[in-house]
Amino acid sequence: MGFPHVAQTFTFAAVIECVARRLSRRDFDVFRLGTAMSGGQYSQAPQARRRAGSVRGMDTRTLGQGLEVSAQGLGCMGMSAWYGETDEEESIAAIHRALDLGVNFLDTADIYGARMGENEKLVGRAIADRRDEVVLATKFGNVFHADGRRAVNGRPEYVHEAIEASLERLGLDHVDLYYQHRVDKTVPIEETVGAMAELVAAGKVRYLGLSEASPDTIRRAHSVHPIAALQSEYSLWSRDPEDGVLDAIRELGIGFVAYSPLGRGFLTGRFRSPEDFADDDFRRHHPRFQGESFRRNLELVERVQEIAAQKGVTAGQLALAWVLAQGDDVVPIPGTKRRSYLEENAAAAEIELTPEDLGRIDEVFPRGAASGDRYSDMSTIDVG
């Protein structure tokens, strides 16, 4: 069931249901208010919003030709590498908690982890006894050579090799959504997608996706086999998809999956200095987290925090609600490796932003306002 609005009568029957479900105090808070609070301090809960489809407490959205997923997914990359210290036990608990809350759309990739496939193995262990609850997406195409050089491989024969390796690591016979992680500019997209279509015919993949592809590439790919989803970075501080990509996929009936909808955590307002990141956290070297760019971006986030406080939500929840408000064909996949942040993120699906709210957010954080490039090396991004 959905989370009731804070103003809704909290009946004795609801209390009994919570007890029957053996909910913890944190679970009880999420059930009652739509978010977990701490220290006995309860802010106003997000206004509830219900749509036709739902999975437990989470609305659903449809990508492409019929892939129904939770309105918000879970990015699993940080559970295995690049965002500081990892904790497999807590990460698996976070995945289980996501499924309990109805967040059934899990996102991984073969390249995620300190070693190839490490994150896929973790996700596979987490869902081993809950596969029927999961819509699972993984990706191929990014590779590292023995000398450490990164490359993109979209050769048809590699497509087949990659899915076999991913399925073995995941412990599955098929995945629900298979993306080409980056476009291989040396291989015609028609050849790559043709090989991906063979995976659908073989029952190893249900739906196909692309990531960081240009409108022209998307159209060419879609002409070979229907593309269900495009995954690209999209948030208040990364609005590149508005430059033609969103128009193209909507013309073709393709869904949009937004990665890094919290700006790699920056939009939560939790970070006040580059020194807040661990030595092994890649954000220490990210252009938007450096020097003057960090300072200027922090000023933008502080403005978002002011609006969030007025609505009784966190800055991160407001940023996620903004992405969700960009269309019912948009599904954000915030990444986290902790249950506490997962619960906070999930509650953002209940926030209703009015046209006035959206106007204020655009005013304080206008398109293009973020300082610094999205990546230090943008060469793998297909801009057409």
Side-chain angles (χ1 to χ4, degrees):
M1 64 180 295
F3 304 132
H5 187 279
V6 69
Q8 185 175 333
T9 302
F10 194 65
T11 65
F12 180 72
V15 175
I16 294 300
E17 181 174 348
C18 284
V19 173
R21 289 166 55 189
R22 300 180 181 177
L23 298 185
S24 66
R25 172 58 187 271
R26 175 177 289 277
D27 294 340
F28 184 84
D29 291 341
V30 172
F31 180 86
R32 182 166 74 100
L33 293 172
T35 186
M37 306 300 174
S38 60
Q41 301 298 315
Y42 295 98
S43 61
Q44 180 181 354
Q47 180 178 341
R49 151 174 84 182
R50 294 264 64 84
R51 291 195 174 90
S54 66
V55 181
R56 298 187 182 179
M58 178 70 66
D59 291 338
T60 60
R61 295 184 171 187
T62 299
L63 299 174
Q65 304 78 44
L67 181 58
E68 187 174 9
V69 301
S70 51
Q72 183 183 126
L74 174 61
C76 299
M77 180 182 77
M79 297 177 179
S80 297
W82 302 322
Y83 283 85
E85 184 179 359
T86 60
D87 181 338
E88 179 170 319
E89 183 177 350
E90 174 61 19
S91 293
I92 290 176
I95 291 173
H96 291 168
R97 183 63 180 138
L99 299 179
D100 292 341
L101 292 174
V103 178
N104 70 354
F105 187 32
L106 305 183
D107 184 88
T108 182
D110 58 9
I111 198 69
Y112 293 164
R115 293 175 296 278
M116 190 73 168
E118 194 170 72
N119 190 244
E120 287 183 323
K121 291 178 180 178
L122 183 151
V123 172
R125 288 191 290 273
I127 67 171
D129 59 350
R130 303 184 69 169
R131 177 62 177 101
D132 60 346
E133 300 176 55
V134 176
V135 179
L136 182 67
T138 191
K139 315 177 196 73
F140 77 95
N142 280 327
V143 296
F144 285 104
H145 294 297
D147 60 5
R149 290 182 298 112
R150 178 180 173 183
V152 177
N153 191 341
R155 292 180 296 108
E157 59 271 28
Y158 181 70
V159 173
H160 287 271
E161 294 171 10
I163 189 61
E164 294 299 339
S166 287
L167 291 176
E168 181 177 355
R169 288 187 291 258
L170 290 162
L172 303 176
D173 62 2
H174 76 279
V175 296
D176 300 297
L177 178 59
Y178 200 43
Y179 296 99
Q180 182 184 24
H181 207 161
R182 290 292 185 270
V183 175
D184 186 344
K185 299 172 185 178
T186 70
V187 178
I189 191 64
E190 292 84 357
E191 294 183 13
T192 303
V193 174
M196 294 170 71
E198 292 171 359
L199 305 182
V200 177
K204 297 176 182 180
V205 171
R206 292 178 59 213
Y207 293 89
L208 303 184
L210 301 176
S211 181
E212 293 286 4
S214 68
D216 179 63
T217 298
I218 296 165
R219 289 190 175 93
R220 289 166 54 200
H222 194 70
S223 71
V224 176
H225 187 281
I227 301 298
L230 174 77
Q231 182 179 139
S232 292
E233 184 174 358
Y234 191 39
S235 69
L236 279 172
W237 80 346
S238 295
R239 296 174 66 171
D240 299 15
E242 295 174 9
D243 295 329
V245 168
L246 288 173
D247 287 341
I249 64 172
R250 283 169 174 158
E251 171 191 329
L252 299 170
I254 299 170
F256 187 89
V257 177
Y259 77 80
S260 294
L262 293 174
R264 296 178 174 80
F266 197 92
L267 298 175
T268 65
R270 296 188 189 108
F271 305 108
R272 313 302 297 179
S273 163
E275 300 306 312
D276 290 342
F277 302 108
D279 291 341
D280 58 349
D281 192 316
F282 91 104
R283 288 172 291 189
R284 272 184 169 265
H285 310 288
H286 190 284
R288 292 188 175 178
F289 292 81
Q290 304 296 309
E292 182 64 14
S293 288
F294 189 102
R295 186 191 66 78
R296 291 173 60 185
N297 290 329
L298 185 59
E299 290 176 355
L300 294 169
V301 172
E302 287 172 345
R303 299 173 194 169
V304 173
Q305 286 179 303
E306 292 177 4
I307 298 176
Q310 292 167 8
K311 291 189 70 67
V313 300
T314 68
Q317 288 175 325
L318 190 72
L320 284 174
W322 180 88
V323 176
L324 285 162
Q326 302 312 301
D328 287 345
D329 55 351
V330 176
V331 178
I333 51 169
T336 186
K337 51 191 175 183
R338 298 185 178 91
R339 282 169 286 182
S340 57
Y341 294 155
L342 169 78
E343 290 167 351
E344 178 181 321
N345 292 343
E350 300 296 313
I351 300 172
E352 185 75 46
L353 295 181
T354 66
E356 292 74 18
D357 292 330
L358 293 170
R360 289 183 63 204
I361 294 169
D362 274 340
E363 182 178 342
V364 303
F365 207 135
R367 178 179 174 182
S371 178
D373 289 336
R374 292 203 287 126
Y375 290 99
S376 56
D377 178 4
M378 295 285 288
S379 63
T380 63
I381 304 300
D382 177 32
V383 295

